[in-house]
Amino acid sequence: MTALLTPGSTHPHHDHRAFGIRFSRLGQSFGTAEKRRAVLRDVSLEVRPGEILAILGTSGCGKSTLLRTAAGLDAPDTGEVLIDGHPVRGIDERCAVAFQEPRLLPWHTLRANVAMGLPRSSSASAGKARVLELLELVGLTAFAKHRPREVSGGMAQRTSLARALARNPGVLLLDEPFGALDALTRIRMQDLLLDIHGVRPTTVLLVTHDVDEALLLADRILVLGPGAGQTGSTIAELLAVPGTRPRDRASADLAALRSTLLSMLGVDGH
Amino acid sequence: MSQEARTAVGARTAASRTGQRGDAEDDTRSRSARDPARIRRTGASSGALSHGPVRLLLGLVVPLLILGAWQANAVLGVFSAVQLPSPGAVLAAGAELAARGELWLHIVISTQRVLIGFAIGSVLGLAVGALLGLSRLADALLTPVVGALRAVPSLAWVPLLILWMKIGEDSKVTLILIGAFFPVFTTVFLALRHVDRDLVEAGRAFGLRGMQLLTTVQLPAVVPAVFSGLRLALAQAWLFLVAAELIASSLGLGFLLIDSSNNGRTDRIFLAIILLAVIGKATDALLGLAERWAVRRWT
Ligand SMILES: Nc1ncnc2c1ncn2[C@@H]1O[C@H](COP(=O)(O)OP(=O)(O)O)[C@@H](O)[C@H]1O
Ligand SMILES: [Mg+2]
């Protein structure tokens, strides 16, 4: 009976969910009525199901803000976000977020923190197995029973990623997920993300400040930047990354694109 | 709540935030160095001074010195025996009351009043603090009233309580209850206000709402603050016990104080004060143990 009412419960992972996202004339501003400051302006964009879109931009330009409207954490000022053709209204269960900070519950073990991400429909035993599988995936099996304060910032970040993956989301929203990792762990986690995406090609919005990371992982790169003469960021550039994944970190094609992107972000001479 | 306790709550929230937000390299040791709990531990430790038994012995040094000076007074006679009876006389007064079976009765009745008043006051403080801390409507409706009630010096309730409940157990327990209520209420209320918004948002982002959000994120986040509120409340409960018993009672340590004062029995006054110090400290130490466990468990 329950299985009939919630068909998902027999397939706890809803394998291969991937939703298209459409930002339509999205605008967002903050502050009081008299001192309102535009952060995003006129963002229109279509993300294909299963695509990995990297979002680049200088610090404070509104990358996290864009992600938050997709997750339904903030309602946009103007325009709307459609996921799989349906508008986002309030916190959207089709999405999972890995926040810029790990935001783990300090009184729970890493395992319990990952379990928090499980969809409500998953059964206890399937959930438990899934959590162990995810901890293995992010290399934290040995730390399953540790508390967040007992592990490094990078480990906390990986736990946060595992928690988001536990949702088996149709849209995965990652806000600088590898920012806190050391160089080696970062490379490992980037490869891991590609592996996961290879097996379950969900739609990914990946905010990053690392141009190389964007080039390595994304199908397309969105650069947010100030629009002509007005306040608030908008789409400064949207470009496809040539070649198929896994990409060679040292490819010459990418090198040209890399310096274009860097100069767009205000860094010249590379 | 005192200013001190208020900043302690704020500091704990801030510390747990920075603890969560460490953004440096993937290195367990540097992370641990930033861990607030560890900083607290290393901050308190300085070689042998951090050893439990050593600390205990050092803690006894000053009381023993005082006892020595006290005994010396009895020999030298700086203060008269009426002003300051010798330690032996106080001990004898205790033994005499104990032999008559009264001492035990005073202790039991006082402890019982404190525990009942503390328990009821804390539960009410928790409930009202949670309600006002979580519900904007209840906050808007009730916070001015509660604030005004808190502004009344609690002893001002005494005449009213005696009028309403007569001089029985009820009026005393009620006064103690009032004393215990406000510290718990204030700490819970403020702590709920300062629960890390990012954590609450993370909870909501993963589908937690209402009661689930409360039990998974908000209540666990305030557990350490609740315990510091409880300790303040227990201290208040002992304070109000003595006030209640001084004003109107025929049993209890407060009664022993006022009765001995009326009869010029300085030895018994000292006995009552020492007993209040020992029992008060013992109950606080028990609660302190619970607090340490809670802070370890919930942060
Ligand atoms: N809830 C908020 N209230 C007010 N200002 C905000 C809020 N969220 C973000 N901002 C402002 O919007 C701008 C963009 O922030 P954010 O999206 O976090 O930038 P980033 O690109 O670094 O992720 C910043 O100037 C920030 O101060
Ligand atoms: Mg950001």
Side-chain angles (χ1 to χ4, degrees):
Chain A
M1 190 65 200
T2 326
L4 284 176
L5 287 173
T6 54
S9 62
T10 49
H11 303 285
H13 306 325
H14 311 266
D15 275 7
H16 308 298
R17 286 205 302 176
F19 298 130
I21 312 170
R22 187 189 166 121
F23 294 93
S24 149
R25 305 193 66 92
L26 188 84
Q28 182 70 297
S29 46
F30 292 111
T32 52
E34 59 270 22
K35 284 192 85 178
R36 208 131 177 95
R37 198 166 57 85
V39 172
L40 291 175
R41 189 168 47 74
D42 208 16
V43 175
S44 294
L45 168 73
E46 181 114 29
V47 187
R48 292 182 295 272
E51 179 175 5
I52 300 181
L53 179 80
I55 302 169
L56 282 174
T58 52
S59 166
C61 74
K63 305 182 293 294
S64 297
T65 304
L66 184 67
L67 225 54
R68 291 175 58 84
T69 56
L73 291 167
D74 294 330
D77 249 14
T78 57
E80 60 177 351
V81 185
L82 299 162
I83 292 181
D84 196 26
H86 303 287
V88 172
R89 305 213 191 293
I91 286 165
D92 201 292
E93 58 179 25
R94 296 168 293 183
C95 300
V97 199
F99 294 95
Q100 195 166 347
E101 323 80 33
R103 300 200 192 180
L104 304 175
L105 300 182
W107 47 86
H108 276 343
T109 59
L110 298 194
R111 194 161 105 184
N113 268 293
V114 174
M116 191 178 147
L118 291 169
R120 293 286 156 266
S121 57
S122 51
S123 74
S125 59
K128 198 172 165 189
R130 176 78 178 135
V131 168
L132 293 179
E133 184 191 332
L134 284 165
L135 283 169
E136 175 82 46
L137 208 59
V138 296
L140 289 174
T141 304
F143 294 88
K145 290 186 177 149
H146 282 57
R147 306 272 216 85
R149 68 172 147 85
E150 297 165 336
V151 302
S152 70
M155 290 175 176
Q157 199 79 53
R158 283 186 269 158
T159 310
S160 156
L161 177 64
R163 178 175 66 180
L165 291 171
R167 289 248 105 175
N168 184 40
V171 174
L172 182 59
L173 303 168
L174 305 177
D175 199 346
E176 307 195 17
F178 311 133
L181 306 185
D182 67 274
L184 284 178
T185 315
R186 177 181 309 194
I187 293 174
R188 245 183 275 135
M189 295 309 290
Q190 288 168 346
D191 291 346
L192 173 71
L193 182 65
L194 290 184
D195 287 350
I196 293 168
H197 189 261
V199 180
R200 281 190 190 138
T202 184
T203 314
V204 180
L205 297 193
L206 171 76
V207 170
T208 176
H209 54 240
D210 181 347
V211 172
D212 291 313
E213 180 170 283
L215 288 169
L216 203 62
L217 300 181
D219 295 300
R220 286 189 297 166
I221 297 177
L222 164 68
V223 182
L224 284 180
Q230 284 170 284
T231 56
S233 306
T234 188
I235 300 181
E237 191 68 68
L238 180 62
L239 31 88
V241 184
T244 52
R245 289 183 299 257
R247 297 196 181 94
D248 178 6
R249 282 168 206 265
S251 134
D253 271 356
L254 297 187
L257 204 47
R258 179 171 181 270
S259 55
T260 313
L261 285 167
L262 281 173
S263 69
M264 225 174 269
L265 295 169
V267 187
D268 284 318
H270 285 268
Chain B
M1 182 170 58
S2 69
Q3 188 61 41
E4 189 188 342
R6 200 171 312 195
T7 49
V9 173
R12 183 132 49 206
T13 321
S16 66
R17 283 174 78 108
T18 50
Q20 278 265 317
R21 282 175 172 222
D23 57 352
E25 71 293 350
D26 205 358
D27 172 63
T28 311
R29 256 169 310 155
S30 81
R31 171 91 180 161
S32 326
R34 286 194 304 271
D35 166 12
R38 273 170 210 251
I39 290 168
R40 211 174 305 135
R41 236 171 288 141
T42 46
S45 81
S46 156
L49 288 186
S50 66
H51 255 280
V54 177
R55 276 190 70 86
L56 199 69
L57 285 175
L58 281 175
L60 286 174
V61 168
V62 176
L64 286 175
L65 282 178
I66 292 174
L67 194 64
W70 188 6
Q71 182 62 41
N73 174 71
V75 177
L76 300 172
V78 181
F79 298 101
S80 72
V82 177
Q83 282 175 306
L84 183 58
S86 72
V90 172
L91 208 60
E96 185 214 337
L97 281 177
R100 297 217 309 254
E102 282 175 33
L103 186 65
W104 188 237
L105 221 53
H106 289 311
I107 294 175
V108 167
I109 192 76
S110 286
T111 311
Q112 177 186 313
R113 284 167 183 158
V114 163
L115 292 185
I116 295 176
F118 169 69
I120 302 175
S122 303
V123 169
L124 287 178
L126 270 174
V128 179
L131 180 70
L132 268 59
L134 291 169
S135 157
R136 294 272 150 195
L137 178 66
D139 180 25
L141 276 175
L142 296 175
T143 297
V145 181
V146 178
L149 287 178
R150 190 174 47 172
V152 178
S154 305
L155 293 185
W157 297 110
V158 168
L160 196 60
L161 292 179
I162 290 179
L163 204 70
W164 280 351
M165 304 179 185
K166 308 290 179 282
I167 303 175
E169 286 306 296
D170 288 355
S171 59
K172 293 183 197 57
V173 168
T174 307
L175 187 66
I176 295 168
L177 176 166
I178 292 172
F181 172 85
F182 285 106
V184 177
F185 162 76
T186 315
T187 35
V188 171
F189 175 72
L190 286 179
L192 281 171
R193 275 292 148 83
H194 292 125
V195 171
D196 189 341
R197 277 166 200 228
D198 287 355
L199 273 193
V200 175
E201 187 180 75
R204 294 200 306 127
F206 286 98
L208 299 178
R209 263 179 283 128
M211 268 323 258
Q212 259 186 330
L213 189 64
L214 182 70
T215 55
T216 314
V217 182
Q218 284 153 315
L219 286 186
V222 302
V223 166
V226 168
F227 272 89
S228 42
L230 286 176
R231 282 183 84 174
L232 291 171
L234 187 61
Q236 286 273 86
W238 280 105
L239 180 71
F240 281 76
L241 166 87
V242 174
E245 290 182 343
L246 280 180
I247 293 165
S249 67
S250 51
L251 260 185
L253 294 169
F255 166 75
L256 183 60
L257 277 173
I258 195 80
D259 188 52
S260 310
S261 168
N262 292 337
N263 296 321
R265 291 293 301 263
T266 327
D267 52 348
R268 288 189 184 167
I269 293 183
F270 271 88
L271 177 71
I273 288 175
I274 291 170
L275 283 173
L276 282 170
V278 169
I279 303 171
K281 176 69 193 163
T283 48
D284 181 63
L286 280 180
L287 205 52
L289 281 181
E291 183 187 17
R292 267 175 53 187
W293 169 82
V295 168
R296 253 207 321 271
R297 173 67 187 82
W298 299 100
T299 54

